[in-house]
Amino acid sequence: MKANVPGPEPRVLVLGGAGFIGRHAVAALLERGLRPIVGSRRPARAGARLPACAQDCPRREIHLERLLDAADWLPRLEDVDVVVNCVGILRQRGHETYDRVHHRGPAALAAACRERGVRLVHVSALGLSDDARSRFIRSKRAGERAIRASGANACIVRPSLLDAESGGYGASWLRRVARWPVHPLPAGAVGRIAALDVRDLGEALALLALRPGLRGPEGPGEFELGGREEFTLHEYVARLRALGNDAPARYLPVPDALVRLGSHACDLLHLTPFSFGHWELLQRDNRPCRDDLGLLLGRAPRQVGAAAGAVVPARLPRPGTAGALP
């Protein structure tokens, strides 16, 4: 259904538009009658990852890790009203470093958006503590600081863990682990997560892209997004297992020392989605201080671990609560 967009429809560039988050943002924009531009490092290959509805969307080759100065971005923003930045890396490869992809590239993009008058919706993450040792977390935090300092008409979106029935490296791995008869999970993963359906995140990003004002009086708007329920990692994997197996799995708590060593080994060998950054995040709560998802969607979020399209009935946040922008 086409949204009521005042004036000319905005031209939206979705960076990482063929990725896990980006393609859901692209699909949500298409549902609202827009024709977004798909920004990708390999636009010729993007079609295999995009939904059928997005095959006709224009594509643009963009290597965020190479665009480290505002001047690099300016010609790429000439025909753009809004940028939705969904780019992120789990591990570093060559020039795709945490600092370039999560910090310096977004900093240059935000400065260019300020100069061009382009709105910016930037996807970050929850749980970015200042005392984190992980370079993944520290680079994400630095990127947020740069966007705050840019003066751009921007907002920062921090989702919790993302769930999907298919697609997504981490989501697919967790569902695979859930099918095992034994769940070897970190004993120290005591933080609670508020997993949300990636389709809800895509819809929230599309709705933010349609807003003319993203910056509040004190800086960029900040939105923390989570699902309707909170779990420990053990509880969440058990919920996923219950989708296809009535028999509960055996929980095998793995000592913290082994988990830490395993996380470094996974980073070194690029094995599984588990990383040292994830290990740090799992030890503390990864849930919103305030949950803006229902307010943005105008409905309750989908239930994680339920059949496709299921929605949990719930009371929505009152208009005017934290996170709302005019």
Side-chain angles (χ1 to χ4, degrees), residues 24-262:
H24 287 89
V26 166
L29 288 163
L30 285 165
E31 288 176 1
R32 282 153 182 79
L34 278 69
R35 189 167 178 259
I37 304 165
V38 176
S40 173
R41 288 185 295 114
R42 301 182 181 87
R45 302 182 189 178
R49 304 177 68 185
L50 289 168
C53 61
Q55 292 300 315
D56 293 334
C57 285
R59 303 173 197 172
R60 184 169 298 174
E61 183 172 356
I62 293 182
H63 296 261
L64 190 144
E65 74 279 3
R66 300 176 186 172
L67 307 175
L68 306 180
D69 189 273
D72 299 329
W73 283 100
L74 292 176
R76 293 167 172 83
L77 301 180
E78 286 183 352
D79 59 344
V80 171
D81 299 305
V82 191
V83 177
V84 180
N85 180 25
C86 304
V87 176
I89 57 171
L90 177 60
R91 295 189 174 96
Q92 304 180 104
R93 294 178 185 270
H95 291 297
E96 296 173 36
T97 66
Y98 294 138
D99 183 53
R100 285 171 173 256
V101 175
H102 295 158
H103 173 207
R104 294 171 62 196
L109 170 61
C113 286
R114 164 74 184 273
E115 186 169 339
R116 285 281 188 208
V118 172
R119 306 194 298 276
L120 172 62
V121 179
H122 176 74
V123 180
S124 186
L126 283 172
L128 305 182
S129 171
D130 283 326
D131 61 356
R133 300 177 66 184
S134 162
R135 287 177 293 169
F136 170 87
I137 295 175
R138 294 203 307 266
S139 65
K140 287 272 193 181
R141 189 76 167 171
E144 287 194 7
R145 289 196 185 100
I147 290 169
R148 287 194 201 97
S150 70
N153 183 6
C155 70
I156 297 168
V157 180
R158 302 188 191 99
S160 186
L161 181 72
L162 297 175
D163 179 75
E165 293 182 14
S166 62
Y169 190 29
S172 297
W173 254 96
L174 284 174
R175 287 179 179 255
R176 185 177 303 141
V177 170
R179 294 194 291 268
W180 296 351
V182 177
H183 290 169
L185 299 172
V190 295
R192 303 193 72 79
I193 56 180
L196 66 148
D197 193 298
V198 69
R199 294 170 293 176
D200 284 347
L201 174 58
E203 185 177 342
L205 295 175
L207 291 168
L208 285 169
L210 294 172
R211 291 190 175 191
L214 296 172
R215 185 177 178 85
E218 298 180 358
E222 300 186 14
F223 297 87
E224 298 189 349
L225 309 184
R228 298 303 303 178
E229 298 175 87
E230 296 178 355
F231 312 89
T232 63
L233 180 64
H234 173 214
E235 293 167 345
Y236 176 61
V237 175
R239 162 69 74 90
L240 295 180
R241 179 175 176 80
L243 290 173
N245 196 320
D246 293 334
R250 180 188 173 192
Y251 171 46
L252 178 63
V254 181
D256 291 354
L258 288 179
V259 173
R260 184 187 178 98
L261 287 173

Side-chain angles (χ1 to χ4, degrees), residues 266-282:
C266 288
D267 281 335
L268 180 64
L269 301 174
H270 290 207
L271 298 174
T272 81
F274 189 58
S275 68
F276 179 64
H278 286 117
W279 170 227
E280 283 202 291
L281 290 173
L282 287 169

Side-chain angles (χ1 to χ4, degrees), residues 126 158 194-196 223-230 287-296 301 316-317 321-323:
L126 283 172
R158 302 188 191 99
L196 66 148
F223 297 87
E224 298 189 349
L225 309 184
R228 298 303 303 178
E229 298 175 87
E230 296 178 355
R287 56 184 179 178
C289 294
R290 60 175 193 276
D291 193 351
D292 301 316
L293 185 57
L295 181 65
L296 287 174
L316 295 175
T321 55

